[in-house]
Amino acid sequence: MCHNFREDLTIDGIAQAAGFSRFHFTREFTNLIGVSPRRFLRAVRFEEAKRLLSDSRLNIAEISHAVGYSSVGTFSSCFKSCTGVTPSAYRRLRSADPLASAGPQRGDGTPTALMPLHGHVQAPSADQSGVVFVGLFPSPVPDGHPVRCKVLLRPGAFVLDNVPTGSWHVLARSVTQRTREGRQVGHAPAVGGVGPVTTSADHAPGPVAIRLHRVKPATLRLCSVPHRGLRPAPLGS
């Protein structure tokens, strides 16, 4: 999927290539990765779409076809469903200052708030510079708006206030800032996440530690898909 996402892939075809039935492949893939093959493929395609929207001058139709969509309308609606903004809006946001364009840091409407969630983001190296986005999502894939979110000037401690009851994934991603001339500043993006983190009326979540790791440009670049079974690590561990 990572190498052939531009093609007209089907789950049946992918399962056949792997030597499994569709049912067995979907079950084993979901158990191993934490999300279904279909959601994983969509995430791979949209990560490439984000890169093209940020780094190229291709129009929306060209980007749609470049990532495997035959319909621009379907691409745009799915992109908005996953990211919370349209492709055009995403391009405008990426060309601006990430702190200025972050918007409200609380997230969209959610159930009754409960308590804060404390955590710490650790950079993949001694370099502690760079803006980091931290979001609270109901699944390992950051689809749509986060339930709660925070923008950090650099890796370090954070607090997500008023976390509602539920089971959540805390996902983080560093961003590469740009100068007015469009030149990138800083290291390649880094991602990390923990989850599920459970909150309830009688259970206060402990602090979580997110270790960011660099990602290769040609591979999946999500602040998502932590391995199934990954749990919050105690701070300092």
Side-chain angles (χ1 to χ4, degrees):
M1 282 189 276
C2 288
H3 288 91
N4 300 294
F5 61 86
R6 296 177 179 84
E7 300 178 11
D8 184 20
L9 297 179
T10 65
I11 302 305
D12 285 329
I14 297 171
Q16 184 177 8
F20 293 112
S21 69
R22 177 192 177 98
F23 173 79
H24 185 66
F25 170 72
T26 300
R27 183 182 62 186
E28 293 301 313
F29 187 98
T30 304
N31 286 338
L32 178 65
I33 303 300
V35 295
S36 70
R38 189 177 302 278
R39 291 190 71 186
F40 185 89
L41 176 60
R42 186 175 65 173
V44 172
R45 285 172 165 165
F46 286 157
E47 279 303 302
E48 175 64 7
K50 292 174 188 176
R51 186 189 70 80
L52 293 173
L53 287 166
S54 301
D55 301 337
S56 79
R57 295 185 177 182
L58 296 177
N59 61 40
I60 305 302
E62 291 170 328
I63 292 174
S64 170
H65 292 297
V67 298
Y69 282 83
S70 58
S71 168
V72 179
T74 300
F75 166 74
S76 296
S77 62
C78 289
F79 188 93
K80 183 176 181 179
S81 174
C82 285
T83 65
V85 295
T86 64
S88 298
Y90 183 89
R91 171 168 273 171
R92 290 194 299 271
L93 290 172
R94 284 296 286 130
S95 65
D97 182 345
L99 289 177
S101 61
Q105 295 187 23
R106 181 171 177 177
D108 56 355
T110 54
T112 304
L114 182 63
M115 58 188 68
L117 174 66
H118 296 262
H120 188 276
V121 177
Q122 179 180 331
S125 64
D127 178 26
Q128 294 290 317
S129 62
V131 176
V132 177
F133 291 95
V134 180
L136 191 72
F137 294 88
S139 79
V141 174
D143 282 351
H145 292 284
V147 174
R148 295 291 182 267
C149 56
K150 186 72 68 174
V151 181
L152 309 179
L153 290 174
R154 62 187 61 83
F158 67 88
V159 179
L160 297 177
D161 295 316
N162 302 317
V163 174
T165 299
S167 181
W168 311 105
H169 292 263
V170 189
L171 308 176
R173 177 171 182 166
S174 68
V175 297
T176 303
Q177 294 180 269
R178 298 172 182 274
T179 65
R180 291 183 177 180
E181 296 76 24
R183 183 172 58 87
Q184 292 186 348
V185 179
H187 294 283
V191 300
V194 295
V197 178
T198 302
T199 60
S200 64
D202 55 358
H203 177 75
V208 299
I210 301 176
R211 294 178 176 87
L212 299 179
H213 59 276
R214 303 287 180 203
V215 285
K216 297 179 180 180
T219 58
L220 182 66
R221 300 188 297 170
L222 291 170
C223 65
S224 63
V225 198
H227 189 279
R228 192 174 183 85
L230 183 63
R231 294 296 184 268
L235 292 179
S237 64

